[in-house]
Amino acid sequence: VGASGPILNLLLVLFMGISVGASVMVSQYFGAKDRERLEKTVGTTLTATVVSSIFIMVVGPLITPPVMSALSTPPEIYDMACTYLVILFAGIVGSAFYNILSGVLRGLGDSVTPVVFLIIACLLNIVLDPIFILPWGLNLGAAGAGCATCLSNTVACLYFFVLLFVKRGKTYVCIKPSMFRPSKQIVKGVCGVGIPASIQNLLNVTGMTILNNFTSAYGSDPVAAMGIAQRVNMVPFQIAMGFSQGIMPLISYNYASGNIKRMKKTFTFTAKISLGFILAVMLTFVVAAEPIISMFMKNESIVAYGAAFLRGFCFALPFLCIDFLALGVFQSCGMGMKSFIFAVVRKIVLEIPALFVLNWLFPLYGLAYAQFVAELILGTIAVVVLVRMFRRLEREHAAPYVSDSESVK
């Protein structure tokens, strides 16, 4: 199952990109009170999900053997990994619809239902895994893991459609045949935001891979320590990304409705909360790096390496938080090219070259500070760009905003 990780990450990145694009478009039309285009966005997105799922179901099994060979999969697990992937490809529809529909619902301001989806899928997967995998159950091994995952995602997806049927007429998410005809404008809008988001996630994976390749030259202990430090640091990393995605529906809604004042307040309020939390985490990592790493490994050498790496990683967190929030604002406003440029500059222009330079100046230990250097520069640029953008938007919407309640009066 672990050997299939790179391919699964690529699939996840694809559907997450479409999900982000759909969420932004839905929020903008929701804010503009354009129900027709909102419904067309949902229909077009669902059509794209069906088409891409069918494509993956057909092409996925065909490319699995050569791709697994190219990834140098060990012979003893090659057949199991291929079987696992083929089963996941066959049941990709459930996972695809989960990601896409979650994005649509978040765009409408409903963040609870996607979490319910996730809880149902995870709990069911935990229950089904031993039944499908272990000898006392169906004894299917890796194939059983794939079957359990597909079935769990499908059940969570069916829950959504049952919920949609129950709430019919009370939600903007509707199933109308006329809305499933793809709209060129909507496809362009979804892709304009979704593709840069996908590339950003791909570059994050690429950066981690290059970092691990540099570390492997120093032996097994540094590699193990780097892996632990990365996983610990991934917790605040994902939380920062969560804050970024959390503000996107609010930013999109207020941007489309012309309420720039509330849009700015949303950003500043979120920035204060997220930065406060991230700074607390950073201080915790600086002070308690050794105890945290020792929770995963008792080897003194690995703990020493891991603590040094974790301290290096954590200094990037505050700047990374600002960078992610800026990307969330750009994507929410449909500025896909701007977010794409930021993603490319972060990894290709700044972080990857910094890995080479810092590893040369400070062998091994300098690697952990490459992200800090990149995020420090990019975070500063992000603040400048955001300040200028908000000033421009405030000038363009200089007329006082009138709320719905005031307009009725």
Side-chain angles (χ1 to χ4, degrees), residues 103-140:
V104 170
L105 291 175
R106 282 193 293 267
L108 293 170
D110 181 3
S111 59
V112 176
T113 303
V115 175
V116 175
F117 286 174
L118 184 61
I119 292 173
I120 291 175
C122 289
L123 291 179
L124 191 57
N125 206 353
I126 291 171
V127 173
L128 292 179
D129 267 342
I131 296 175
F132 279 88
I133 297 173
L134 299 179
W136 57 263
L138 298 177
N139 196 24
L140 296 177

Side-chain angles (χ1 to χ4, degrees), residues 24-39:
V24 169
M25 295 296 290
V26 165
S27 294
Q28 288 188 359
Y29 290 136
F30 189 44
K33 296 180 174 56
D34 190 341
R35 181 169 187 135
E36 182 180 355
R37 289 189 178 182
L38 194 158
E39 291 178 348

Side-chain angles (χ1 to χ4, degrees), residues 8-18 194 197-202 205:
L8 296 180
N9 285 335
L10 288 176
L11 288 178
L12 185 61
V13 162
L14 168 66
F15 290 119
M16 283 181 65
I18 299 176
S198 297
I199 293 175
Q200 175 189 347
N201 291 328
L202 280 175
V205 174

Side-chain angles (χ1 to χ4, degrees), residues 19 22 27 52 116 122 136 145 150 153 198 301 310:
S19 175
S27 294
S52 58
V116 175
C122 289
W136 57 263
C150 289
N153 290 332
S198 297
S301 173
L310 185 58

Side-chain angles (χ1 to χ4, degrees), residues 182-203:
S183 167
K184 183 178 179 180
Q185 179 185 359
I186 292 173
V187 170
K188 184 178 178 181
V190 171
C191 292
V193 176
I195 291 177
S198 297
I199 293 175
Q200 175 189 347
N201 291 328
L202 280 175
L203 289 176

Side-chain angles (χ1 to χ4, degrees), residues 107-382:
L108 293 170
D110 181 3
S111 59
V112 176
T113 303
V115 175
V116 175
F117 286 174
L118 184 61
I119 292 173
I120 291 175
C122 289
L123 291 179
L124 191 57
N125 206 353
I126 291 171
V127 173
L128 292 179
D129 267 342
I131 296 175
F132 279 88
I133 297 173
L134 299 179
W136 57 263
L138 298 177
N139 196 24
L140 296 177
C147 291
T149 300
C150 289
L151 184 58
S152 302
N153 290 332
T154 302
V155 170
C157 184
L158 289 175
Y159 165 78
F160 169 81
F161 286 106
V162 171
L163 186 66
L164 187 63
F165 177 77
V166 172
K167 291 186 176 182
R168 63 189 183 280
K170 301 177 182 178
T171 174
Y172 281 94
V173 184
C174 59
I175 306 298
K176 292 182 181 179
S178 60
M179 296 301 175
F180 279 82
R181 180 188 301 176
S183 167
K184 183 178 179 180
Q185 179 185 359
I186 292 173
V187 170
K188 184 178 178 181
V190 171
C191 292
V193 176
I195 291 177
S198 297
I199 293 175
Q200 175 189 347
N201 291 328
L202 280 175
L203 289 176
N204 286 336
V205 174
T206 302
M208 290 180 65
T209 302
I210 294 174
L211 174 60
N212 290 334
N213 287 341
F214 271 110
T215 308
S216 64
Y218 295 94
S220 58
D221 282 0
V223 169
M226 184 65 75
I228 294 172
Q230 283 178 330
R231 282 164 177 76
V232 172
N233 192 61
M234 192 59 66
V235 174
F237 180 94
Q238 292 294 342
I239 291 174
M241 185 174 290
F243 277 114
S244 171
Q245 293 179 351
I247 67 169
M248 287 177 65
L250 295 171
I251 295 291
S252 296
Y253 181 92
N254 290 300
Y255 175 74
S257 63
N259 193 348
I260 306 304
K261 183 178 180 181
R262 188 192 293 173
M263 174 183 165
K264 188 175 180 180
K265 280 186 176 181
T266 299
F267 174 81
T268 53
F269 176 77
T270 307
K272 290 176 183 177
I273 293 178
S274 57
L275 272 176
F277 175 81
I278 291 298
L279 286 171
V281 172
M282 185 188 79
L283 291 174
T284 302
F285 284 175
V286 171
V287 174
E290 284 85 1
I292 292 173
I293 298 297
S294 64
M295 292 171 61
F296 300 88
M297 187 72 70
K298 299 299 182 183
N299 183 294
E300 291 184 4
S301 173
I302 293 176
V303 170
Y305 282 126
F309 297 153
L310 185 58
R311 289 192 175 100
F313 288 149
C314 75
F315 288 117
L317 290 175
F319 305 99
L320 181 142
C321 181
I322 293 297
D323 183 24
F324 278 0
L325 289 176
L327 288 176
V329 172
F330 299 150
Q331 291 170 354
S332 301
C333 297
M335 302 174 183
M337 182 54 66
K338 190 167 289 186
S339 62
F340 171 74
I341 292 172
F342 265 67
V344 171
V345 169
R346 180 202 293 117
K347 288 296 176 183
I348 297 179
V349 178
L350 295 175
E351 186 172 330
I352 293 176
L355 286 172
F356 284 91
V357 174
L358 292 176
N359 188 52
W360 176 64
L361 292 174
F362 310 101
L364 181 60
Y365 294 100
L367 295 172
Y369 292 86
Q371 188 179 44
F372 166 66
V373 172
E375 295 298 344
L376 173 62
I377 297 172
L378 201 62
T380 304
I381 295 173

